[in-house]
Amino acid sequence: MYDLIIIGAGPAGLAASIYASRYKLKHLIIGEEVGGQIMKASRIENWPGEESITGMQLTENFRKQVEKLGGEIINIGVDDIEKLEGGFRIVTDDEKVFEAKTIIFALGMKPRKMNLPKEDEFIGKGISYCATCDAMFFKKKDVVIIGGGDSAATAALHLAEFANSVQLLYKNGTKIFEPVWEERMLENGKITLESFENILEIIGESKIEGIAYETQDRQKKELKVQGIFIEIGSTPGAVIAKDLGVETDEHEFIIVKPDQSTNIEGVYAAGDITTASNKLRQIVTAAAEGAIAASSVYKTIKMDKK
Amino acid sequence: MLTELTDQNFDQEVLKNEGIVVVDFWAPWCGACQMVGSIIDELENEMGDKVQVGKCNVDKNEDIASKLSIMSLPAIKIFKAGKIAKEFTGAQNKDVLKKAIEELI
């Protein structure tokens, strides 16, 4: 039986593993995607110690450090978790079974959809939730980005390296990107920003030809674009934790105490999925919560041995 | 054996192939592609005797990517007798892909 199984391999899960290794906890990380959401970040400039780094490179750095310290990562989803006497039984998507005394849920978030008509139909055919992944397919094309946060701003800057024009649409005047990103967008020359009230429709049959929307002053407008990038934030992926009985708030974030413990004994949570860190949801806060969770697990297990 | 697919050999290896060909479209800058790439390697090991498995770097082979209207990575397309029989966008787990291939055999 493992001392700890960490579910999720983003910054929170990987940081938890680094601490768990140093505490000599026998542990395992099970995660669908190493790096998680940061794999989609083209530029990260607020992780201390790195002036500017790609999400992919930072993930690689995390992974190397985890493995060097002895952490083991299994790339798969978790299908089921069951409470046992003194621990938990975890079944993966490929039906492997693991047992652990404690669990840290570091499940992160998933991109939020707009739920527009035809949105699902055009995924991978002009609609994208990942500018870093798909920007190169829009060389010399016109694209629109929907969103008003940092991920929308960095997506716009990344797309501007390839596309002919980039129109960023943010809802109801709500721009929440860091001022440094706004400055860079305004200096860019290819990027324009506009506030919208409603997206009316995606125009096109077999491929995207444009987007119709209502501006903040209620005028109907159409833009000819070949690509639509949706960057409207993300939703927590807490389903598997909820099935076990872990308590969440009304927005599905796992409720944690200052030591990252949940309402169930032996179950901890860390990273974007929790109510902690004032819900700032940054790499630096995810990593910190992972470290705290691992240290709490260590204290619990050490006490049990006494 | 894993086939390296290019703008030059795609016609011959995939479109004119009477059997089943699983093609993983990827690029070096695509993080999720790395994960899919190792799943594709495993599938080749397990099913390589029944189907052909290939990888196509769209960064170096833009013609075929544009011909197949690929606009998102990772993209996996399963061809049967030269026609797309099944296609997936985004990271997929191994079981999903394995099942899709088995259904076509």
Side-chain angles (χ1 to χ4, degrees):
Chain A
M1 188 183 260
Y2 286 92
D3 290 326
L4 162 69
I5 286 182
I6 299 161
I7 303 174
L14 296 173
S17 169
I18 290 170
Y19 278 74
S21 290
R22 296 175 62 88
Y23 287 126
K24 304 246 181 254
L25 294 172
K26 190 184 169 206
H27 75 285
L28 182 69
I29 307 169
I30 305 176
E32 283 186 43
E33 186 181 12
V34 180
Q37 287 203 107
I38 64 166
M39 283 297 265
K40 293 183 176 171
S42 57
R43 280 278 140 210
I44 293 161
E45 302 191 346
N46 53 10
W47 171 252
E50 298 283 357
E51 244 175 64
S52 183
I53 188 165
T54 64
M56 212 167 122
Q57 187 57 54
L58 186 59
T59 299
E60 191 51 24
N61 295 355
F62 276 145
R63 193 187 56 77
K64 273 191 197 152
Q65 192 174 357
V66 163
E67 290 179 348
K68 199 174 171 203
L69 289 165
E72 190 191 341
I73 307 171
I74 298 183
N75 260 161
I76 191 89
V78 167
D79 183 53
D80 190 44
I81 306 171
E82 206 184 305
K83 180 95 183 77
L84 304 172
E85 188 70 32
F88 302 89
R89 183 173 177 270
I90 293 161
V91 185
T92 60
D93 285 343
D94 57 354
E95 285 163 25
K96 291 201 177 84
V97 179
F98 300 94
E99 286 181 2
K101 291 178 198 158
T102 60
I103 295 177
I104 297 176
F105 283 114
L107 295 158
M109 314 262 284
K110 290 185 174 9
R112 183 176 285 145
K113 289 184 175 183
M114 284 288 288
N115 294 324
L116 296 169
K118 293 199 269 194
E119 180 173 341
D120 285 339
E121 195 184 312
F122 281 122
I123 291 174
K125 292 174 179 164
I127 286 202
S128 172
Y129 305 88
C130 178
T132 331
C133 315
D134 302 335
M136 82 149 256
F137 299 112
F138 296 87
K139 277 181 192 160
K140 302 203 172 75
K141 295 196 167 135
D142 301 298
V143 299
V144 68
I145 297 173
I146 304 170
D150 287 341
S151 63
T154 51
L157 288 162
H158 184 65
L159 273 161
E161 292 173 29
F162 301 88
N164 178 50
S165 76
V166 179
Q167 168 91 52
L168 184 142
L169 296 175
Y170 55 94
K171 192 159 170 80
N172 293 337
T174 314
K175 288 184 287 183
I176 50 165
F177 20 76
E178 290 176 7
V180 54
W181 295 129
E182 181 156 9
E183 265 169 42
R184 278 194 223 169
M185 283 194 284
L186 296 174
E187 283 163 9
N188 185 282
K190 278 190 189 173
I191 304 173
T192 44
L193 278 61
E194 191 180 13
S195 175
F196 76 98
E197 181 72 33
N198 273 312
I199 302 292
L200 301 172
E201 66 167 322
I202 298 169
I203 304 161
E205 288 307 320
S206 61
K207 58 178 184 180
I208 291 177
E209 284 162 17
I211 187 165
Y213 62 99
E214 206 176 38
T215 61
Q216 210 181 351
D217 47 11
R218 297 273 174 188
Q219 284 181 28
K220 200 183 154 188
K221 253 185 159 176
E222 274 185 29
L223 271 179
K224 276 196 178 146
V225 293
Q226 295 82 50
I228 299 171
F229 286 77
I230 297 171
E231 295 283 354
I232 52 166
S234 38
T235 52
V239 181
I240 192 98
K242 281 184 83 170
D243 287 349
L244 188 68
V246 172
E247 215 181 323
T248 64
D249 72 0
E250 70 275 23
H251 304 294
E252 308 275 289
F253 291 96
I254 296 176
I255 300 170
V256 290
K257 298 180 194 86
D259 65 353
Q260 304 297 137
S261 63
T262 68
N263 61 311
I264 297 181
E265 203 187 328
V267 177
Y268 299 77
D272 287 3
I273 199 165
T274 78
T275 51
S277 302
N278 210 17
K279 287 193 180 176
L280 184 59
R281 299 203 287 276
Q282 296 289 301
I283 305 170
V284 69
T285 50
E289 289 182 32
I292 296 167
S295 124
S296 303
V297 168
Y298 172 64
K299 283 176 194 157
T300 313
I301 286 179
K302 211 174 116 187
M303 276 208 321
D304 281 353
K305 279 183 185 159
K306 274 183 185 169
Chain B
M1 204 184 72
L2 204 72
T3 319
E4 167 98 29
L5 297 165
T6 63
D7 283 344
Q8 287 73 37
N9 72 4
F10 202 87
D11 228 44
Q12 196 57 43
E13 297 284 346
V14 182
L15 302 180
K16 288 185 182 157
N17 191 320
E18 284 304 308
I20 296 167
V21 192
V22 182
V23 185
D24 169 25
F25 295 90
W26 69 284
W29 37 260
C30 159
C33 293
Q34 294 183 342
M35 207 179 77
V36 173
S38 49
I39 291 174
I40 292 289
D41 292 342
E42 287 173 27
L43 285 176
E44 207 283 325
N45 273 332
E46 292 168 27
M47 308 180 87
D49 53 335
K50 298 187 202 99
V51 297
Q52 197 181 336
V53 181
K55 290 190 186 184
C56 180
N57 179 346
V58 299
D59 229 9
K60 288 186 184 156
N61 301 287
E62 287 188 26
D63 288 354
I64 192 69
S66 135
K67 207 169 147 191
L68 293 172
S69 303
I70 291 171
M71 294 175 114
S72 187
L73 289 182
I76 296 154
K77 296 187 193 285
I78 308 174
F79 293 79
K80 190 172 184 175
K83 299 256 183 323
I84 295 173
K86 281 182 185 173
E87 52 190 335
F88 301 89
T89 303
Q92 305 294 328
N93 77 39
K94 193 168 131 190
D95 287 349
V96 172
L97 295 172
K98 208 168 168 178
K99 209 171 144 218
I101 299 167
E102 276 163 356
E103 279 168 8
L104 292 172
I105 295 175

